[in-house]
Amino acid sequence: MDTRTILLERLAAVRDRMERACLRAGREPADVTLIAVTKSVTPDVAAIVAELGIAAMGESRPQELWKKAAALPSVNWHLIGHLQRNKIERTMPLVTLMHSVDSERVLDALSEFGQKQRKPVPVLLEVNCSREAAKGGFAPEALPALGDKLLSLPGISLCGLMTMAAYSNDPEDARPTFTELRQLRDDLRRRTGLELPHLSMGMSGDYEVGIEEGATFVRVGSTLFENLP
Ligand SMILES: *Cc1c(COP(=O)(O)O)cnc(C)c1O
């Protein structure tokens, strides 16, 4: 089979699983966006995915996002990895939503950029719910204290939270992580009065659990792209 046919079948399978997860959770399929994570493929493969109707794509490295966004400017690009402050100016104009704000320093720098542009930057805060030392993001315990600060940053439009579950072969292992992210969002919403509509949670191994727990974005890479010809 050629690459296009394989991708067509894989996308249909992922969409089907997403829909069934929505049904189980009593949610509308239209409320969950599939982000195809293209970090392991060339712009040519990403172009096929765009032709097959995927409007949202994610990259974890800014330089790779620059390259793919230049090749595919009509895609909605999501940054899902660490952003150094010196790459904000070049990266953020290309980005629909920044999922992975992982420190107050980056938050402050993004706010400054948003103010300069006179357009608040839409962001999610990355939270290290799985509490792995190797992972970035805010500690869950740090979020309550951030509440007041979030309201005082004029260049930021805070849209919600993002997390990554610990790697596991059993998707159920991810559930407590995703439940916690949703509860943290609900807390922060009460504390700040912000709407915080988005939860970015769920990857190839656990996106259905993410949807059952309230994800509005799932970030799927390897299930779509592994072992292409
Ligand atoms: C690579 C990556 C993904 C996609 O992971 P897969 O397991 O390949 O689906 C999702 N989110 C982030 C932050 C990533 O870096």
Side-chain angles (χ1 to χ4, degrees):
M1 269 196 294
D2 67 351
T3 299
R4 188 188 172 90
T5 309
I6 294 170
L7 287 172
L8 184 66
E9 289 187 357
R10 290 183 182 175
L11 280 168
V14 169
R15 288 229 180 271
D16 186 52
R17 285 172 170 272
M18 287 176 63
E19 246 170 66
R20 280 185 286 159
C22 284
L23 267 179
R24 286 196 296 281
R27 302 185 57 204
E28 288 296 326
D31 293 341
V32 187
T33 299
L34 171 62
I35 297 176
V37 176
T38 50
K39 66 188 176 199
S40 65
V41 296
T42 60
D44 287 355
V45 173
I48 299 174
V49 172
E51 281 167 31
L52 293 174
I54 296 296
M57 297 188 198
E59 281 288 336
S60 50
R61 293 181 53 237
Q63 292 96 323
E64 196 58 34
L65 191 145
W66 303 343
K67 198 167 88 185
K68 295 226 176 65
L72 297 167
S74 58
V75 163
N76 296 323
W77 288 99
H78 294 252
L79 186 64
I80 60 173
H82 179 68
L83 178 61
Q84 285 172 289
R85 288 176 298 166
N86 64 8
K87 297 201 173 68
I88 286 176
E89 299 245 345
R90 173 141 185 212
T91 308
M92 289 313 296
L94 307 171
V95 169
T96 300
L97 178 64
M98 162 65 174
H99 290 232
S100 39
V101 176
D102 53 7
S103 72
E104 289 195 47
R105 273 161 39 119
V106 172
L107 194 60
D108 289 336
L110 284 167
S111 180
E112 211 173 285
F113 176 73
Q115 255 188 307
K116 210 163 65 184
Q117 278 198 125
R118 297 170 191 281
K119 199 170 122 217
V121 180
V123 303
L124 308 179
L125 301 182
E126 180 173 356
V127 186
N128 187 358
C129 291
S130 60
R131 296 172 172 79
E132 291 167 280
K135 275 205 185 124
F138 291 93
E141 296 72 25
L143 282 192
L146 261 186
D148 290 341
K149 166 157 193 169
L150 295 172
L151 293 172
S152 69
L153 290 172
I156 290 288
S157 168
L158 183 66
C159 302
L161 303 178
M162 176 272 220
T163 199
M164 275 168 96
Y167 180 79
S168 164
N169 285 320
D170 182 357
E172 280 303 319
D173 289 345
R175 196 177 296 276
T177 298
F178 296 160
T179 309
E180 182 177 19
L181 193 73
R182 189 186 64 233
Q183 289 168 347
L184 286 167
R185 187 275 306 271
D186 294 349
D187 270 5
L188 200 58
R189 182 190 268 163
R190 270 194 297 275
R191 222 176 268 279
T192 60
L194 297 169
E195 192 188 351
L196 307 177
H198 289 298
L199 291 173
S200 172
M201 54 190 196
M203 318 194 335
S204 288
D206 51 27
Y207 64 91
E208 294 162 272
V209 176
I211 291 170
E212 289 170 9
E213 295 301 322
T216 59
F217 290 105
V218 292
R219 312 177 308 267
V220 178
S222 49
T223 284
L224 296 173
F225 299 120
E226 68 193 350
N227 304 322
L228 289 175

